[in-house]
Amino acid sequence: MSELELIHADILYTGMGLPIRDGAVVTGGQTIAAAGDLETLRRQYPQADLRRTVGVIAPPPINAHAHLDMSDYAFQALPYFQWIPEVVIAGRLSRGLAGAKKGLAQVQHSGVAALGDIVWPGAPEVMEWLLSEAELSGVAYWEVLDPDPATADATFAQVMQDVQRFRKLERPGGMRLGLSPHATHTVSSKLHRLLANFARREHLPLQIHVAEHPSEVELVQSGTGPLAQSFARMISFTSPDLTLPEVLGRAPSPDLTPVSYLAELGVLDAKPTLIHMVNVTDEDIRTVAQAGANVVTCPRSNANLECGTFRWTAFVAAGVDVALGTDSVASGETLNIFDEIAAARRIHANLDPRLIVRAAVKGGSRVLGTKVPFLRRGEAWSEGFIWPEA
Ligand SMILES: [Zn+2]
């Protein structure tokens, strides 16, 4: 074996168990000789040179939630209920393949292991390209938006057709197809049920935006507030007679939350990945844990859209897998997961940073169903295991 080098890391995550503080890796050329506690390895390998100390040694992280096709948008911080119409909808003409290609290049350059990407139905060419060509593993989720129960059956029939067509494009090692019923209130209760049952039958991974902003809770509890108003304006163009109780399949109610609403519909039985989950109750967290669903947090996007702060410790305590995502550049600023990790450490300053490392690696792999390489004796060593410093 070539000369041994010992690299000290403030945080070491081998891909097994929990990350440890003051860990180390002993390498001999391209191979890992040992990984573990610093003091132990110094005793076991007295001949190994301690050449450097780094912040984190871990498998490459995963960006579990992004919108590549929005990469030509400019970043704009606005409250969520205002950001949707004034940024997302207003800028829709810039959505598409050119943006997605630019976005994927940024994601690949950042050095992630896998990506969870939401694909807007207005740009099916993005889905075709991701499944058939993109050189990255992960899941491309086909987004579904339709709040009108009158068109739920027709929309669902179209989704089944789309899925059949897209599935033929999946390749081993490439991206897999998933589905994304967009959000709690932008898909009718009827369509939510149809999609969840279909996803379960077809083993399609699901991502749904849930409990993102406090106004989403207000919408299901009273049918009022700024999101209810902007949503009413939005649906007035396509379905002028549609009411919120028709969308939800029930009246808003003070004891309802976005999570309890989806649980009531049976959507959580499909074990979806729930995105954001900022505005939740203790009961919501228990419900998600019992359902075996996992969550993705996007700290920069949540801060920029004034959504609040994700209750990270409460989710971990309940046993829910937490993953990390950048969201789009329009709310998350960049698609670089290391920027997100740095922001997570700033925003969650009192959280044990080992939980953030674990979320970015293991949480993401749970969401996307990818494998995490182990850092242990005999495995190949890569400089890519040393995470860039923020
Ligand atoms: Zn999103």
Side-chain angles (χ1 to χ4, degrees):
M1 188 177 260
S2 53
E3 209 177 321
L4 294 178
E5 186 189 357
L6 188 146
I7 310 164
H8 167 213
D10 294 333
I11 296 175
L12 166 71
Y13 183 41
T14 61
M16 294 167 280
L18 287 170
I20 59 169
R21 287 182 193 275
D22 283 320
V25 174
V26 177
T27 63
Q30 303 302 309
T31 308
I32 297 172
D37 170 66
L38 172 67
E39 288 314 315
T40 310
L41 293 193
R42 291 191 87 163
R43 275 198 306 276
Q44 288 174 348
Y45 296 86
Q47 76 278 30
D49 278 343
L50 171 57
R51 293 214 190 104
R52 350 172 224 176
T53 291
V54 298
V56 177
I57 296 179
I62 284 166
N63 186 348
H65 179 76
H67 300 257
L68 291 185
D69 60 36
M70 290 175 69
S71 300
D72 275 332
Y73 278 61
F75 163 66
Q76 200 175 347
L78 280 175
Y80 168 75
F81 51 84
Q82 207 178 333
W83 181 83
I84 293 282
E86 291 180 26
V87 177
V88 181
I89 297 176
R92 67 193 179 281
L93 293 180
S94 69
R95 275 185 115 151
L97 191 56
K101 286 188 170 176
K102 191 161 126 187
L104 184 72
Q106 290 166 8
V107 166
Q108 285 169 323
H109 184 73
S110 68
V112 291
L115 173 73
D117 188 49
I118 307 293
V119 182
W120 182 52
E125 63 277 15
V126 172
M127 180 59 87
E128 288 155 13
W129 167 73
L130 281 174
L131 295 177
S132 59
E133 285 182 53
E135 288 181 13
L136 193 65
S137 59
V139 180
Y141 300 87
W142 184 235
E143 189 173 65
V144 184
L145 286 142
D146 181 5
D148 192 345
T151 48
D153 285 322
T155 301
F156 180 58
Q158 183 62 51
V159 169
M160 288 194 293
Q161 245 179 54
D162 294 336
V163 164
Q164 208 174 34
R165 180 165 65 91
F166 291 141
R167 274 210 152 151
K168 295 187 183 126
L169 303 174
E170 289 175 322
R171 299 155 298 146
M175 294 190 92
R176 282 191 306 141
L177 179 65
L179 276 183
S180 178
H182 170 255
T184 313
H185 61 289
T186 54
V187 168
S188 67
S189 62
K190 183 176 178 186
L191 186 55
H192 262 307
R193 276 204 189 97
L194 289 168
L195 293 170
N197 284 332
F198 176 62
R200 213 160 48 155
R201 275 200 315 273
E202 296 289 321
H203 305 287
L204 286 161
L206 281 179
Q207 284 203 358
I208 314 171
H209 295 86
V210 183
E212 185 163 355
H213 188 273
S215 59
E216 187 181 325
V217 181
E218 213 180 339
L219 177 137
V220 298
Q221 292 188 338
S222 64
T224 60
L227 181 62
Q229 283 165 19
S230 76
F231 180 61
R233 262 196 310 279
M234 195 184 91
I235 58 176
S236 70
F237 297 112
T238 48
S239 320
D241 301 323
L242 185 61
T243 65
L244 187 62
E246 285 168 344
V247 174
L248 301 178
R250 56 161 295 162
S253 162
D255 59 358
L256 204 62
T257 67
V259 172
S260 72
Y261 166 71
L262 292 175
E264 196 176 277
L265 293 179
V267 169
L268 300 190
D269 298 340
K271 297 191 194 315
T273 294
L274 308 175
I275 314 303
H276 302 306
M277 293 289 283
V278 180
N279 297 279
V280 294
T281 63
D282 292 345
E283 182 62 32
D284 288 339
I285 296 175
R286 276 195 292 275
T287 301
V288 169
Q290 274 162 16
N294 45 35
V295 304
V296 180
T297 182
C298 307
R300 284 184 295 175
S301 179
N302 293 158
N304 289 324
L305 304 187
E306 299 174 24
C307 294
T309 306
F310 178 67
R311 297 176 57 195
W312 204 311
T313 318
F315 279 97
V316 171
V320 177
D321 276 317
V322 176
L324 206 58
T326 57
D327 225 345
S328 75
V329 298
S331 64
E333 303 172 54
T334 73
L335 296 172
N336 188 331
I337 194 67
F338 291 106
D339 294 342
E340 201 67 47
I341 291 163
R345 290 182 73 155
R346 281 195 305 276
I347 292 167
H348 297 273
N350 294 322
L351 183 72
D352 184 339
R354 293 179 302 171
L355 291 175
I356 297 172
V357 171
R358 190 177 189 280
V361 178
K362 190 66 138 205
S365 82
R366 292 263 166 85
V367 166
L368 302 179
T370 55
K371 280 209 175 83
V372 175
F374 293 134
L375 276 60
R376 62 184 172 195
R377 183 178 182 82
E379 302 287 348
W381 166 253
S382 158
E383 287 291 314
F385 295 148
I386 301 174
W387 287 12
E389 298 292 322

